[in-house]
Amino acid sequence: MKIRDLYPLITTPVLVEARDFYVTHFDFQVTFEATWFVYLTGSGEDGTRGATLALMHPDHPSNPPGPEAFGGLGMILTVETSDAASLFERLQRGGAPIVYPLTEEGWGQRRFMTRDPAGVLVDVVEQIEPAAGFWDQYMVKE
């Protein structure tokens, strides 16, 4: 089986605000928009595929019913970039809430976190070299 796409669908009553957050801060494009559903796409970098994200209002008419509106807990949306520091500065200048500062993590990521208007925690990461020996203690032994 071949998968055409896999994307999160966030159900939120702040549909327009969430759409604008991803368009403004992450350069997503609105690919499809209706009064209760928005499908966003982001361009890939250096030949990568890019990303897709969908937003849906809780009062949607689709069947079956559900899902319920996202409550803000239990989900992190990870956005990988090649320059987390530049994106951090851009989001900070643009007024996005920064809930975790730009940090170099021992496991090999430069990252920061923001939160979108729907309450989704957005983890912006850049892969860097991990600290020497960091992963040794966590590797699965066969």
Side-chain angles (χ1 to χ4, degrees):
M1 173 175 56
K2 294 186 180 189
I3 307 292
R4 287 189 61 167
D5 202 357
L6 175 73
Y7 56 89
L9 187 149
I10 302 164
T11 303
T12 177
V14 291
L15 187 69
V16 172
E17 294 88 341
R19 176 203 64 203
D20 292 349
F21 177 86
Y22 289 100
V23 167
T24 299
H25 297 300
F26 294 98
D27 292 333
F28 274 76
Q29 302 296 311
V30 176
T31 304
F32 176 83
E33 184 170 22
T35 57
W36 55 274
F37 181 85
V38 178
Y39 185 78
L40 303 168
T41 56
S43 298
E45 178 181 275
D46 298 328
T48 62
R49 178 182 166 294
T52 55
L53 174 66
L55 305 165
M56 184 169 67
H57 196 280
D59 295 334
H60 63 91
S62 66
N63 288 313
E68 296 73 27
F70 180 70
L73 299 176
M75 179 179 173
I76 295 176
L77 185 64
T78 300
V79 176
E80 185 175 344
T81 180
S82 62
D83 189 352
S86 292
L87 197 49
F88 175 77
E89 294 299 325
R90 175 182 167 174
L91 267 70
Q92 205 170 33
R93 279 192 316 273
I98 304 299
V99 299
Y100 186 77
L102 185 64
T103 306
E104 290 199 8
E105 306 289 6
W107 59 79
Q109 287 182 338
R110 180 175 297 120
R111 68 194 275 253
F112 69 94
M113 291 182 166
T114 184
R115 193 174 294 276
D116 79 8
V120 176
L121 195 57
V122 181
D123 188 21
V124 179
V125 304
E126 173 187 347
Q127 303 304 326
I128 60 174
E129 192 65 33
F134 179 88
W135 285 106
D136 295 346
Q137 62 185 323
Y138 300 107
M139 298 310 293
V140 175
K141 314 257 190 290
E142 293 185 35

